[in-house]
């Protein structure tokens, strides 16, 4: 057996005999974008689109410099440094076929905790015209009820102190903007690529709030001069496993310490609002539009909310892989009913989209057994996801007199999951920034059925709505008495 080839620039010609590699001269690519939060999704999505353009001889002045903001990002720096920023992107088709490609659009990687000034200077560089973000739904430090930026969060408060060395995303980006202003360099565009409704508006709010708290004049300058386009992003990208590394090594002969695997489907809908130009994204298949909102609401309330609809019920029913849940006819019916009867009625018209076809395509995508996305991944960080993706559907349906019992049932399934014990008595590892609080509250579910939804920081005044409380409580009681599958059967039978 031939030894696998280490993924480096020097080995691209050898690797390229069997796997597509960059056709452009990477030494001629110059940076134009700094990206904060270089994880699997960014590398399967934004970096892939740029690589596609570069292979067509375009956007060679829009290379990406990555920045990791969290301590554990040190591992990504080690890998990216060793591999010259290269990685293998593997599309997993439902029929078992694979589409590998080596991506070369990321030029280097900086670890901000190790050298904050280098990270700031990378963004202050006049060559950089866009700073993009995938820092997760919870990374924007927004109070879920008030919608305000939380100034007293410990990391933020530390960055706001006089003379502080910036550590948070807000501190690093704001300091880079300050240096550009003071040096007479126009500000970069801040492009959020997270699953947050109105992500550009949210980014605008949080960076203006932070910069104003730091320096009122700077805040006014950011408010007036920095652009924050909205966008909708979509590609199911599970975490990389050792099996994925082994497959890249054994099937394609590439020794890649951190490949990325994803589904074939990809979508990016982007508002055309940039202060210093942008790559010709439309030439790579991006939908560049004037108004992103209809597309993002469709994605958040159908795809993302459906992930929540399947994950807690699915985990409690004993499933551990997403495709196993979606291939179960009972779960597929529940998802389609939720999307058609509750999610879709809250959507404005979506130009060019057949919603019925989109809903069925989602179930088909979820059913892709080759992706092997885990149910546990979808259950992570629920306190950031449910309030943004599902509760707006509940509120709009309550206000309009529409159906909402399925969405209320999803909330109940989260509350049951958060108890930390499955239906076989095995422990559930609840992964959430407020996991300790959630589990402590959920463990009172049987004695106080509304304890979980009484948390106004997550649910606002929904606990005061008798209709919602009735549906939620009935589902929670059924989950305790009959289990997830029987509860779902009863919910589907109501139709």
């Amino acid at each position: 057996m031939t030894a696998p080839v280490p993924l480096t620039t020097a080995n691209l010609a050898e690797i390229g005999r069997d796997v597509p590699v960059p056709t452009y001269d990477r030494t001629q690519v110059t940076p134009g974008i700094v990206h904060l939060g270089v994880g699997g999704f960014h590398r399967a999505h934004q970096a892939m689109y740029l690589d596609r353009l570069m292979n067509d001889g375009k956007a060679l002045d829009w290379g990406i410099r990555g920045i990791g903001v969290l301590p554990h990002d040190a591992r990504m720096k080690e890998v990216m440094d060793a591999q010259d920023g290269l990685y293998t992107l593997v599309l997993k088709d439902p029929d078992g076929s694979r589409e590998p490609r080596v991506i070369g659009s990321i030029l280097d990687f900086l670890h901000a905790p190790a050298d904050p000034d280098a990270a700031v200077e990378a963004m202050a560089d006049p060559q950089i015209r866009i700073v993009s973000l995938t820092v997760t739904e919870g990374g924007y430090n927004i109070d879920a009820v008030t919608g305000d930026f939380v100034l007293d969060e410990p990391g933020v408060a530390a960055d706001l102190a006089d003379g502080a060395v910036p550590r948070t995303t807000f501190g690093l980006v704001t300091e880079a903007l300050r240096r550009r202003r003071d040096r007479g360099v126009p500000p970069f565009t801040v492009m959020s690529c997270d699953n947050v409704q109105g992500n550009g508006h949210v980014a605008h709010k949080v960076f203006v709030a932070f910069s104003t708290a730091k320096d009122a004049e700077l805040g006014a300058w950011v408010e007036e001069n920095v652009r924050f386009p909205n966008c909708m992003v979509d590609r199911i990208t599970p975490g990389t496993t050792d099996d994925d590394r082994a497959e890249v090594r054994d099937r394609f002969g590439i020794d890649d310490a951190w490949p990325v695997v994803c589904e074939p489907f990809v979508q990016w809908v982007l508002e055309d609002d940039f202060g210093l130009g942008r790559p010709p994204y439309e030439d790579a298949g991006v939908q560049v539009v004037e108004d992103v909102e209809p597309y993002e609401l469709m994605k958040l309330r159908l795809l993302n909310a459906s992930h929540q609809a399947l994950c807690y019920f699915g985990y409690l029913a004993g499933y551990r892989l997403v495709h196993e849940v979606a291939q179960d006819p009972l779960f597929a019916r529940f998802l389609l009913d939720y999307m058609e009867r509750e999610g879709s009625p809250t959507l404005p018209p979506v130009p060019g989209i057949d919603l019925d076809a989109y809903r069925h395509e989602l179930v088909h995508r979820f059913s892709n057994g080759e992706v092997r996305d885990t149910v546990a991944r979808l259950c992570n960080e629920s306190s950031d996801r449910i309030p943004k993706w599902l509760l707006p559907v509940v509120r709009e349906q309550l206000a309009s007199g529409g159906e909402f019992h399925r969405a209320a049932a999803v909330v109940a399934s989260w509350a049951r999951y958060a108890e930390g014990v499955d239906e076989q008595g095995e422990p559930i590892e609840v992964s959430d920034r407020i996991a300790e609080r959630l589990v402590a509250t959920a463990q009172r579910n049987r004695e106080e059925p509304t304890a979980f939804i009484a948390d106004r920081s997550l649910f606002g005044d929904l606990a005061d709505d008798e209709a919602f409380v009735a549906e939620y409580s009935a589902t929670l009681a059924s989950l305790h008495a009959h289990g997830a599958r029987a509860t779902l059967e009863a919910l589907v039978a109501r139709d």
Side-chain angles (χ1 to χ4, degrees):
M1 179 177 176
T2 305
V5 179
L7 182 53
T8 64
T9 301
N11 293 333
L12 281 179
E14 182 177 355
I15 293 169
R17 295 171 190 159
D18 301 306
V19 173
V21 299
T23 57
Y24 49 93
D25 182 353
R26 294 181 76 229
T27 66
Q28 299 304 304
V29 178
T30 56
I33 297 173
V34 164
H35 184 83
L36 280 70
V38 181
F41 183 77
H42 170 70
R43 295 190 294 152
H45 198 271
Q46 297 98 38
M48 177 280 300
Y49 277 109
L50 275 173
D51 181 78
R52 185 181 288 179
L53 287 171
M54 291 173 182
N55 278 308
D56 287 339
K58 304 172 183 177
L60 297 177
D61 59 340
W62 289 101
I64 300 168
R65 302 195 72 189
I67 292 181
V69 178
L70 301 175
H72 68 248
D73 290 329
R75 174 58 183 156
M76 178 65 78
K77 176 171 175 56
E78 291 175 5
V79 171
M80 296 298 274
D81 284 355
Q83 298 184 177
D84 302 323
L86 298 165
Y87 60 94
T88 314
L89 178 65
V90 181
L91 278 56
K92 293 188 170 184
D93 292 289
D95 64 3
S97 61
R98 299 287 189 267
E99 300 176 56
R101 172 176 288 279
V102 173
I103 304 295
S105 55
I106 299 178
L107 304 181
D108 64 0
F109 187 94
L110 303 172
H111 191 222
D115 194 342
D117 193 65
V120 171
E121 279 299 314
M123 292 182 279
D125 183 344
Q127 287 190 98
I128 300 302
R129 287 147 284 163
I130 296 173
V131 168
S132 54
L133 312 169
T134 47
V135 294
T136 77
E137 298 82 18
Y140 292 82
N141 195 41
I142 292 283
D143 186 287
V145 174
T146 67
D148 294 332
F149 183 69
V150 182
L151 289 168
D152 60 359
E153 188 277 328
V156 168
D159 270 8
L160 288 173
D162 289 342
V165 175
R167 299 288 178 183
T168 67
T169 298
F170 315 106
L172 293 162
V173 172
T174 298
E175 175 59 17
L177 286 168
R178 185 192 67 76
R179 292 185 190 183
R180 291 176 76 111
R181 182 201 62 176
D182 293 351
R183 296 169 186 174
V185 177
F188 45 71
T189 294
V190 176
M191 182 174 70
S192 167
C193 298
D194 282 297
N195 281 317
V196 177
Q197 184 177 339
N199 52 17
H201 299 318
V202 171
H204 173 266
K205 172 183 284 189
V206 300
F207 284 106
V208 168
F210 180 91
S211 57
T212 300
K214 188 75 173 176
D215 176 342
E217 289 186 7
L218 177 61
W221 183 83
V222 171
E223 169 82 65
E224 172 130 13
N225 294 282
V226 181
R227 306 282 187 89
F228 297 87
N230 292 292
C231 75
M232 181 269 263
V233 296
D234 190 5
R235 176 168 251 180
I236 295 171
T237 309
T240 302
T241 67
D242 287 339
D243 286 344
D244 295 323
R245 294 179 180 89
E247 182 174 51
V248 169
R249 182 181 63 246
D250 299 339
R251 189 165 178 171
F252 306 119
I254 302 173
D255 184 4
D256 185 343
W258 210 324
V260 182
V261 299
C262 63
E263 64 170 337
F265 180 91
V266 65
Q267 186 177 24
W268 191 3
V269 183
L270 178 62
E271 180 184 11
D272 198 359
D273 183 23
F274 292 80
L276 296 176
R278 60 169 176 80
Y281 286 124
E282 59 271 42
D283 293 348
V286 178
Q287 295 167 262
V288 180
V289 301
E290 291 185 7
D291 185 9
V292 172
E293 185 177 30
Y295 301 92
E296 71 179 0
L297 286 175
M298 174 187 73
K299 195 252 181 168
L300 295 173
R301 296 184 181 182
L302 299 186
L303 185 151
N304 294 119
S306 289
H307 268 163
Q308 301 301 287
L310 73 81
C311 68
Y312 312 108
F313 275 116
Y315 195 98
L316 293 169
Y319 290 117
R320 295 297 178 264
L321 293 172
V322 173
H323 71 271
E324 296 173 340
V325 185
Q327 290 175 7
D328 184 321
L330 173 65
F331 282 84
R333 183 73 263 157
F334 178 69
L335 294 179
L336 288 168
D337 287 345
Y338 159 74
M339 288 191 280
E340 180 180 356
R341 308 281 286 275
E342 299 185 18
S344 294
T346 70
L347 301 178
V350 189
I353 299 293
D354 179 335
L355 280 181
D356 185 60
Y358 181 81
R359 291 189 291 262
H360 282 83
E361 182 181 35
L362 287 181
V363 175
H364 176 70
R365 291 169 59 193
F366 297 164
S367 301
N368 184 344
E370 296 300 312
V371 173
R372 300 188 69 78
D373 200 4
T374 65
V375 175
R377 182 185 78 87
L378 302 187
C379 293
N380 291 345
E381 306 305 331
S382 311
S383 66
D384 289 321
R385 295 174 171 183
I386 291 279
K388 294 181 178 73
W389 300 343
L390 190 73
L391 297 189
V393 172
V394 173
R395 292 192 172 92
E396 290 198 28
Q397 289 294 86
L398 282 168
S400 67
E403 297 179 21
F404 64 90
H405 64 272
R406 301 171 193 84
V410 176
V411 177
S413 71
W414 174 30
R416 170 65 187 86
Y417 175 89
E419 292 174 16
V421 180
D422 70 13
E423 293 177 5
Q424 288 71 46
E426 295 298 319
I428 295 173
E429 183 180 350
V430 177
S431 178
D432 195 285
R433 62 185 174 84
I434 56 169
E436 186 176 345
R437 186 173 105 207
L438 291 173
V439 172
T441 305
Q443 288 178 346
R444 293 158 41 205
N445 281 339
R446 294 175 190 268
E447 296 76 32
E448 301 176 57
T450 61
F452 195 77
I453 57 172
D455 187 335
R456 291 182 180 269
S457 70
L458 298 175
F459 297 99
D461 59 0
L462 279 177
D464 301 330
D465 189 288
E466 293 181 3
F468 173 77
V469 171
E471 293 288 356
Y472 165 86
S473 300
T475 301
L476 185 59
S478 178
L479 285 166
H480 286 144
H482 307 297
R485 188 166 195 89
T487 298
L488 262 191
E489 288 172 345
L491 285 165
V492 169
R494 283 177 63 170
D495 300 320

